[in-house]
């Protein structure tokens, strides 16, 4: 996620902007920049990399002025580079932006047809062009120019506009991306997150979707997009700076679990074609006619996403899919070559084993598509095409929102391949898309069930071992539940296909063994139920993840966590959430270092 800071008042703005951006560093970024009004003109300094680079640059290009905006960019559209860094300046207009402009392609073409030239690959530059066009067309008020521009924009944004024509003010607006205004005395602030401005004021206005704010040193005026005045309340923020970084959550992992509905929405944004009932994946150009088989390579949690992806692609597009642990792939002389599509899944895009697998497959002539969260990281760079998840930076070592957004990327690939090769009818695709679009709300419902999971964590948190069982598309979720629990709580846990239990792990079951069973309604449900009777007969403690309305499961399970109904092929996006929360609360109960568990690194760059 990118970071925004803006200042208007009597003080020098650059130190305030840099200090604010530094407070947002924890969110991750790959370039940074500031724009400051100086004697009738705005000057911009940007650079790739860390804030230290920007500060160094600012010792060479000195900016002075008391109205300014700053930004740290986490690349989503366009590589991390100085030209793609914000602020984007067009004519006299400078813009910083968080979020995704969904209709950026259409707008870019429309603006280019009027003779406008673009200097970056970003969607943000479009906003600067639109506002500039309004001002050039004679709109006198900067607020009006921004409102008019935003009426053409679809998507998510938190943005701040600075214009040479109105040197005493900032205009800010937001839809579906956070933005907070800091109310000072004779000065005002804006930021994408509280920590950036908390040292200056605790009086804050949380902008609502569709609101536009105009900030001068003396006043803040807020309207809706139609220009009607609004007066959202000023609230006093009592958090300390660490609490503010975590948005009030105790750990980043918990924050990231709760961010999943937003992350999934962002990953879907602009990628659904409602008329043809297809996925819009122009960035990767997939043609099922040229694909003999698909091989998914990944490690850890990303491997579990790949295993779910196999079910999705085989079900929707009927193309055979193999899943390989990237760490094993190249050592087994894999049968891979021209006509094969290798999909590498990696949050960081830097995992050494996955990168090595990509190179091996490429050398043997396969086409490589990567699914990654970090734009322009090594794995996408080594691939023929990349589909980026828009989870935003994941700070907790235990992967959560990266995983669910990888599932969305795989679901979109499955949908697109199925539509292109005709294996998925329009009606079935429509239903699938409806289900996809409902996921964020359903995921939020599941994530909001903290209390029962906290109770379970206390009840079972002292167990020595856990068993996780699931079947079919939820078998990888059993593996993921076990991985999450062991990596952050240090409790030994195993994930198994429920059908395999009787072939070994059943020997472990006694009254001390909690068995977490993923049992949503759908194919395999009856089989899972019969596996549960085997657990029950050996006095194992059953914690079931089941579908709301299930009348049967309560008679056999000791504990039941309910999820909303959804299509089986998408059920992993819901069933995984209680498992993430269970692991989190067990780890918290045990007092481990949840965000940085022992012996683990966020990005494993050694083989
Ligand atoms: O960055 P990647 O997705 O390639 O990372 C792969 C694994 O190292 C990662 O998923 C790891 O298993 C997580 N810590 C699990 O939570």
């Amino acid at each position: 996620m990118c970071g925004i800071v803006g200042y208007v008042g009597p003080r020098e703005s650059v130190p305030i902007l840099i200090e604010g951006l530094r407070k947002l560093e924890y969110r991750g970024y790959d370039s940074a920049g500031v724009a400051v009004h100086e004697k009738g003109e705005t000057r911009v300094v940007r650079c790739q990399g860390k804030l230290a680079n920007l500060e160094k640059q600012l010792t060479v290009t000195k900016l002075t002025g008391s109205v300014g905006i700053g930004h740290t960019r986490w690349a989503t559209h366009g590589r991390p580079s100085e030209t793609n860094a914000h602020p984007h300046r067009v004519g006299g207009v400078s813009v910083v932006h968080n979020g995704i402009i969904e209709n950026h392609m259409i707008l870019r073409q429309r603006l280019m047809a009027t003779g406008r030239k673009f200097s970056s690959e970003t969607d943000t530059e479009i906003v600067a062009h639109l506002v500039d066009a309004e001002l050039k067309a004679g709109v006198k008020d900067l607020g009006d120019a921004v409102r008019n521009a935003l009426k053409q924009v679809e998507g998510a944004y938190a943005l701040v506009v600075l214009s040479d024509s109105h040197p005493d003010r900032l205009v800010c607006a937001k839809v579906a991306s956070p933005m907070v205004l800091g109310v000072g005395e004779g000065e005002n602030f804006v930021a994408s997150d509280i920590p950036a401005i908390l040292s200056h004021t605790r009086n804050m206005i949380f902008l609502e979707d569709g609101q536009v704010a105009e900030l001068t040193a003396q006043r803040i005026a807020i309207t809706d997009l139609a220009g009607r005045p609004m007066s959202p309340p000023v609230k006093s923020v009592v958090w300390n700076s660490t609490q503010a970084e975590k948005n009030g959550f105790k750990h980043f992992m918990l924050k990231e679990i709760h961010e999943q509905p937003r992350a999934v929405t962002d990953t879907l944004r602009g990628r659904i074609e409602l008329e043809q009932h297809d996925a819009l994946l122009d960035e990767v150009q997939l043609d099922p006619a040229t694909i003999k088989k698909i091989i998914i390579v990944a490690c850890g949690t990303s491997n579990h996403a790949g295993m779910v992806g196999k079910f999705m692609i085989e079900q929707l597009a009927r193309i055979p899919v193999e899943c390989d642990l990237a760490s094993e792939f190249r050592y087994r002389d894999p049968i891979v070559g021209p006509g094969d599509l290798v999909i590498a899944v990696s949050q960081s895009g830097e995992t050494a084993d996955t990168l090595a697998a990509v190179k091996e497959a490429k050398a043997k002539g396969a086409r490589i598509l990567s699914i990654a969260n970090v734009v322009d990281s090594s794995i996408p760079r080594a691939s023929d095409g990349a589909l980026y998840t828009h989870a935003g930076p994941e700070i907790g070592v235990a992967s959560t929102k990266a995983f669910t957004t990888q599932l969305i990327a795989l679901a979109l690939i499955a949908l697109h391949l199925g539509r292109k090769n005709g294996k998925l009818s329009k009606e079935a695709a429509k239903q699938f898309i409806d289900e996809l679009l409902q996921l964020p709300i359903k995921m939020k419902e599941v994530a909001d069930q903290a209390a029962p999971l906290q109770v379970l964590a206390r009840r079972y948190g002292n167990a020595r071992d856990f068993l996780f069982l699931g079947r079919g598309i939820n078998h990888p979720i059993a593996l993921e539940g076990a991985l999450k629990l062991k990596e952050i709580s240090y409790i030994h846990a195993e994930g198994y296909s429920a059908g395999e239990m009787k072939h070994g792990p059943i020997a472990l079951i006694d009254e001390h063994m909690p068995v977490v069973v993923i049992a949503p309604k759908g194919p395999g449900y009856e089989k899972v139920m019969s596996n549960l009777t085997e657990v029950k007969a050996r006095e194992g403690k059953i914690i079931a993840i089941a579908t709301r309305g299930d009348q049967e499961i309560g008679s056999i399970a000791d504990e039941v966590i309910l999820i909303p109904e959804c299509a089986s092929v998408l059920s992993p996006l819901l069933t995984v959430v209680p498992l993430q929360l269970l692991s989190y609360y067990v780890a918290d109960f045990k007092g481990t270092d949840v965000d940085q568990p022992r012996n683990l690194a966020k990005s494993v760059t050694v083989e």
Side-chain angles (χ1 to χ4, degrees), residues 299-302 345-351 354 379 397-399 406 480 483-484 487 600-604:
C299 297
T301 289
S302 297
V345 186
S346 173
Q347 184 285 132
S348 60
E350 298 295 347
T351 300
T354 312
I379 292 169
V397 163
S399 191
Q406 286 166 348
E480 175 60 8
L483 175 63
K484 281 292 84 92
E487 72 179 329
L600 291 174
K602 186 67 191 159
S603 179
V604 185

Side-chain angles (χ1 to χ4, degrees), residues 36-54:
V36 173
H37 265 314
E38 200 176 317
K39 299 185 193 106
E41 197 202 2
T42 307
R43 293 175 65 208
V44 179
V45 174
R46 309 179 293 183
C47 64
Q48 194 179 340
K50 294 293 164 194
L51 276 177
N53 298 357
L54 181 66

Side-chain angles (χ1 to χ4, degrees), residues 131 141-151 159 161 171 173 212 225:
V131 176
D141 180 74
L142 183 60
D144 286 339
V146 172
R147 279 183 286 269
N148 291 349
L150 292 180
K151 282 177 199 150
L159 53 87
V161 179
V171 175
V212 179
L225 275 177

Side-chain angles (χ1 to χ4, degrees), residues 446-465:
V446 183
D448 285 345
Q449 296 184 60
L453 288 157
Q454 277 170 308
V455 171
L456 294 189
R458 264 180 252 121
R459 199 170 285 161
Y460 298 100
N462 286 320
R464 211 187 53 182
D465 312 277

Side-chain angles (χ1 to χ4, degrees), residues 398-412:
S399 191
T400 53
K401 61 177 181 170
F403 175 70
T404 40
T405 53
Q406 286 166 348
L407 296 188
I408 293 294
L410 287 158
L412 290 170

